[in-house]
Amino acid sequence: MTKLSVNINKIATLRNARGGDVPNVVKVALDCERFGAEGITVHPRPDERHIRKADVYDLKPLLKTEFNIEGYPAPEFIDLVLKVKPHQVTLVPDSPVQLTSNSGWDTKSHYDFLSEVLDEFNNAGIRTSVFVAADSQMIEYAAKAGADRVELYTEPYATTYNVDPDKAVKPFVEAAKVARNLGLGINAGHDLSLANLNFIYKNIPWLEEVSIGHALISDALYMGLEKTIQEYKNCLR
Ligand code: PXP
């Protein structure tokens, strides 16, 4: 079964636009779970422009499903994750000022750094995932560095899906096979939507988890959160 992890950063962005506590991030996360999400993802950034550290601490004791914290492993992030101990940490190579993640790790160039960080999380009993492009060498180095999983950066799939779905998915299927042969679990995320999710799932049915934020929260404006989550889950069958 491929788990749907809802990235709730957009909910925090909406809340922060007005100060105050509307919408309430914890309530939305618990509602996502109630409506069928199998995980919650947050991406705290140093400037706290969406998810704040306090949100991460608030969420941890209340979530009943998989808690995934993603982000760049700066000392402050590492400290937060080690304190909160989520089910999974996903390492993302984004700079603090970046609007959103726009590439996977160069796991070869950053091999020593990633090995050290992964070791720290592995020793703390937190499952590790490394965000990578659909590139077999990057996946091989992620495995060597000690990752439990890789998260495939699916933006290139999403942008070319409309032109030629088979061509768009092919490198991802190849990459997922490489990861599977290395014993890595495979997650996927970025720009997945109701339009393109089922196709990648059908081509890589052994995906462990998809992490989806922007499109899902946008769809919820029209369909409501409950129906939207059901629709995304229907794409994973
Ligand atoms: N995975 C990672 C590592 C991300 O950084 C993001 C965006 O925060 C996502 C998944 C979700 O992407 P989207 O918001 O496009 O669904």
Side-chain angles (χ1 to χ4, degrees), residues 114-126:
L114 285 172
S115 302
E116 211 174 288
V117 173
L118 289 167
D119 223 31
E120 220 169 338
F121 290 134
N122 288 334
N123 290 338
I126 301 166

Side-chain angles (χ1 to χ4, degrees), residues 42-56:
V42 294
H43 191 143
R45 285 194 165 88
D47 60 5
E48 300 201 313
R49 66 180 187 265
H50 22 63
I51 284 289
R52 300 175 183 142
K53 261 199 216 169
D55 296 324
V56 182

Side-chain angles (χ1 to χ4, degrees), residues 95-117:
S95 80
V97 293
Q98 219 160 286
L99 196 58
T100 182
S101 347
N102 62 1
S103 70
W105 282 96
D106 181 341
T107 51
K108 191 176 176 192
S109 304
H110 297 100
Y111 177 76
D112 290 341
F113 173 63
L114 285 172
S115 302
E116 211 174 288
V117 173

Side-chain angles (χ1 to χ4, degrees), residues 129-177:
S129 179
V130 173
F131 195 50
V132 287
D135 176 318
S136 54
Q137 192 184 42
M138 295 303 118
I139 294 168
E140 280 157 19
Y141 274 89
K144 249 195 236 178
D148 296 310
R149 293 189 185 181
V150 283
E151 179 179 331
L152 298 177
Y153 172 49
T154 46
E155 193 264 353
Y157 161 71
T159 48
T160 50
Y161 171 81
N162 284 335
V163 185
D164 186 341
D166 289 313
K167 195 171 164 198
V169 86
K170 197 163 175 257
F172 289 84
V173 176
E174 294 308 316
K177 284 181 184 162

Side-chain angles (χ1 to χ4, degrees), residues 7 9-10 41-43 45 50 68 70-71 90-94 99-103 131 151-154 188-193 210-216:
N7 179 317
N9 268 33
K10 284 276 155 14
T41 293
V42 294
H43 191 143
R45 285 194 165 88
H50 22 63
N68 175 43
E70 60 179 38
T90 301
L91 307 184
V92 182
D94 60 345
L99 196 58
T100 182
S101 347
N102 62 1
S103 70
F131 195 50
E151 179 179 331
L152 298 177
Y153 172 49
T154 46
H190 227 287
D191 295 294
L192 294 176
S193 69
V210 290
S211 154
I212 308 181
H214 187 80
L216 188 152

